């Protein structure tokens, strides 16, 4: 969903909101979701490195 589509959806759901409030809310939602997705990617990468480290540690300790 694009920011413009989100703004249109918010404006339709909350017709009393002024345009600036709709734009701010849409921006906040977009930032929240991009940050959430970025955190998920970083977590996956961390877990992959942890798995690799643990597998290497087991190899060297045997």
């Amino acid at each position: 969903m694009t920011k413009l589509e989100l703004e249109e959806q918010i404006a339709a759901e909350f017709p009393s909101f002024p345009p600036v409030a709709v734009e701010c809310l849409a921006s906040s939602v977009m930032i929240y979701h991009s940050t959430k997705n970025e955190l998920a990617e970083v977590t996956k990468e961390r877990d992959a490195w942890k798995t690799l480290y643990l597998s290497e540690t087991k190899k060297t300790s045997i």
Side-chain angles (χ1 to χ4, degrees), residues 39-58:
L39 179 59
E41 289 299 316
V42 169
T43 301
K44 285 180 194 175
E45 187 174 342
R46 181 209 59 201
D47 291 346
W49 280 109
K50 183 177 178 182
T51 301
L52 178 64
Y53 171 76
L54 291 174
S55 69
E56 292 297 318
T57 303
K58 286 180 182 178

Side-chain angles (χ1 to χ4, degrees), residues 2-56:
T2 67
K3 184 174 174 256
L4 182 58
E5 291 169 334
L6 185 57
E7 286 176 6
E8 290 170 352
Q9 183 179 359
I10 292 168
E13 290 182 36
F14 304 98
S16 64
F17 281 17
V20 172
V22 170
E23 185 178 354
C24 288
L25 186 55
S27 295
S28 295
V29 169
M30 298 295 282
I31 290 168
Y32 167 78
H33 283 287
S34 68
T35 302
K36 184 177 164 187
N37 292 339
E38 188 72 26
L39 179 59
E41 289 299 316
V42 169
T43 301
K44 285 180 194 175
E45 187 174 342
R46 181 209 59 201
D47 291 346
W49 280 109
K50 183 177 178 182
T51 301
L52 178 64
Y53 171 76
L54 291 174
S55 69
E56 292 297 318

